Amino acid sequence: MSEKNILCLASAGGQQAPVLAAAGANVTVFDLSDQQLQQDRMVAEREGLQLKTVQGDMCDLQAFQDAEFDLIIQPISNLYVADVEAVWRECYRVLKPQGVLIASFYNPVVSIADRNPEYAKQGLIHPIYTLPYSDIQDLSAAALNAKLQAGEAVVFGHSLTDLIQGQLTAGFFIQSFYEDDQPQPRFLVDQFMPTFLATRAIKN
């Protein structure tokens, strides 16, 4: 890990980046939220670590040069952008040849069901949304406004085509694929199947 240039993409919050910096990597944390980036700065200062924080949109990595990073780590976060394929293209651009992208995301099945808690109490999964899903397009005006008033982020549910084939189209070779259970199930479907997905892709 020493001397590797690592981009923690849309993953601020003082979790992954400090661990990687402690392992000797040159770490850059990129996130839209300066409040989240502040957590990384706080942990780095507390632990005597060196890392760089940059604020911006994961769909636009123009703050970085072509082939700048050896590794990109993106914990579950691409549900916050409408165009996930733009993320894959930018990741491919800023990675060095043979660079690695480790990305995680939700199984899109979590996006299709009615979120009325009464259905969950009855043990029912009631699909009402189609993929790709968008809070902006699929929620009623009242529900969307209530979500925004509560300070919640707008989310998008991408198809597996966009999540998997999108990486291939960008030029990546997907070396491995992983599924895991949701440690704190939010939806009924989480109790029946692993809804965390992750890929390890290499820039050809």
Side-chain angles (χ1 to χ4, degrees), residues 42-101:
M42 181 271 292
V43 174
E45 182 177 357
R46 184 188 69 200
E47 303 298 332
L49 301 171
Q50 295 293 321
L51 57 79
K52 179 181 179 182
T53 60
V54 181
Q55 186 175 12
D57 184 340
M58 72 181 90
C59 293
D60 181 1
L61 303 182
Q62 293 303 312
F64 308 117
Q65 299 177 4
D66 293 356
E68 185 170 343
F69 298 100
D70 299 284
L71 171 66
I72 296 175
I73 296 179
Q74 186 194 32
I76 292 176
S77 60
N78 60 42
L79 72 162
Y80 299 119
V81 295
D83 184 7
V84 70
E85 292 182 286
V87 178
W88 305 142
R89 290 192 297 268
E90 282 291 85
C91 286
Y92 191 88
R93 181 184 66 80
V94 303
L95 274 172
K96 297 177 182 179
Q98 301 304 306
V100 173
L101 166 65

Side-chain angles (χ1 to χ4, degrees), residues 133-165:
Y133 169 83
S134 164
D135 275 352
I136 296 172
Q137 299 296 327
D138 293 308
L139 291 182
S140 67
L144 178 60
N145 184 61
K147 185 170 189 176
L148 296 174
Q149 289 296 318
E152 298 179 27
V154 170
V155 300
F156 303 86
H158 305 292
S159 68
L160 285 174
T161 297
D162 290 341
L163 293 168
I164 304 297
Q165 180 60 43

Side-chain angles (χ1 to χ4, degrees), residues 5 19 22 24 28 35 37 41 55 68 71 77 81 88 91 95 102 116 125 132 136 146-147 154 184-185 188 196 203:
N5 294 326
V19 172
T28 300
Q35 184 176 5
L37 289 168
R41 292 190 286 265
Q55 186 175 12
E68 185 170 343
L71 171 66
S77 60
V81 295
W88 305 142
C91 286
L95 274 172
I102 297 176
N116 186 335
I125 298 172
I136 296 172
K147 185 170 189 176
V154 170
Q184 297 178 323
L188 185 60
F196 279 176
K203 178 176 178 175

